[in-house]
Amino acid sequence: MTHLTDLNLGGCSRLTGDLYNLGRLVGLESLTLWGMNKLEGDLSHVSELTQLTQIYLTGCSQLTGNLESLATLLGLVKVSLCGCRAVRGHIADLTELFSLEEIDFRFCPNIEGDLRSISHFVSCAQLNLFRCHRVTGDLASITGLLKFTHLNLSTSDPLSWHDEIGSSEISRLMSNGDLLQSD
């Protein structure tokens, strides 16, 4: 299956497996696995997919690993690890990914870094670090970000997406792409 360029298993919450098995799909350009909460493995296996331009792992809560695993994906344009609570790392690990346009790390409490790292994302228009409590720094670091249209550094929200939005509503929003977008 080296010719497969787009793999979308989004919402297939009953599928099981390890991210390791997908590392052999070296032709992938787009990987969409949102909502696969039984998917296990280390994020390092994604580093073998050097053709990736988009990766959506929203809600893959069993995944582990470090953000630096994505640093080899030089063509990466969009990345969503929303809800990947066990993924760790520093925002600075991704500063060499100059093509990044959208970054969604909502509900990733183990991602940390300084706002100065954000200034390296010269192509980025959307960055969502909602509830990433370990991000620190001086606001002056973000004033020169000319392409940003959306930046969310908030740590609180009056609406808890798990408690007050039912799981069927979350599934509907994800199928429409609303939760994959930074809004």
Side-chain angles (χ1 to χ4, degrees):
M1 296 222 314
T2 58
H3 299 290
L4 186 65
T5 59
D6 186 351
L7 178 61
N8 186 339
L9 299 174
C12 297
S13 60
R14 293 184 177 173
L15 292 181
T16 60
D18 194 301
L19 203 53
Y20 168 79
N21 297 312
L22 300 179
R24 292 179 270 167
L25 302 174
V26 294
L28 279 182
E29 296 172 10
S30 179
L31 179 61
T32 304
L33 303 176
W34 62 262
M36 293 186 64
N37 56 359
K38 295 178 183 173
L39 181 68
E40 296 179 346
D42 192 285
L43 198 57
S44 64
H45 301 297
V46 174
S47 67
E48 301 166 36
L49 305 175
T50 57
Q51 301 302 309
L52 276 181
T53 59
Q54 301 180 47
I55 183 168
Y56 298 104
L57 299 176
T58 299
C60 296
S61 56
Q62 302 299 314
L63 292 182
T64 59
N66 198 297
L67 275 183
E68 69 185 354
S69 300
L70 301 178
T72 61
L73 306 176
L74 299 178
L76 199 60
V77 175
K78 298 177 183 181
V79 59
S80 176
L81 298 177
C82 175
C84 295
R85 297 179 186 271
V87 172
R88 301 182 170 283
H90 296 269
I91 296 170
D93 293 333
L94 303 181
T95 56
E96 297 297 316
L97 300 179
F98 299 114
S99 58
L100 275 175
E101 295 175 5
E102 294 180 23
I103 304 168
D104 185 357
F105 292 156
R106 289 174 292 159
F107 301 100
C108 292
N110 294 309
I111 292 179
E112 55 189 293
D114 190 283
L115 288 180
R116 286 179 295 201
S117 299
I118 294 171
S119 66
H120 294 275
F121 298 127
V122 294
S123 297
C124 197
Q126 298 182 30
L127 175 61
N128 198 332
L129 296 173
F130 176 69
R131 294 231 173 129
C132 293
H133 302 285
R134 295 179 179 196
V135 175
T136 61
D138 188 325
L139 287 177
S141 302
I142 62 172
T143 58
L145 301 172
L146 303 176
K147 291 197 176 187
F148 271 80
T149 59
H150 182 84
L151 178 61
N152 185 352
L153 301 173
S154 142
T155 59
S156 63
D157 187 35
L159 181 63
S160 168
W161 79 310
H162 285 293
D163 299 335
E164 297 185 31
I165 297 178
S167 60
S168 61
E169 179 65 6
I170 290 171
S171 295
R172 184 190 68 74
L173 290 170
M174 289 181 121
S175 67
N176 289 341
D178 295 340
L179 281 181
L180 298 177
Q181 306 255 341
S182 300
D183 46 28

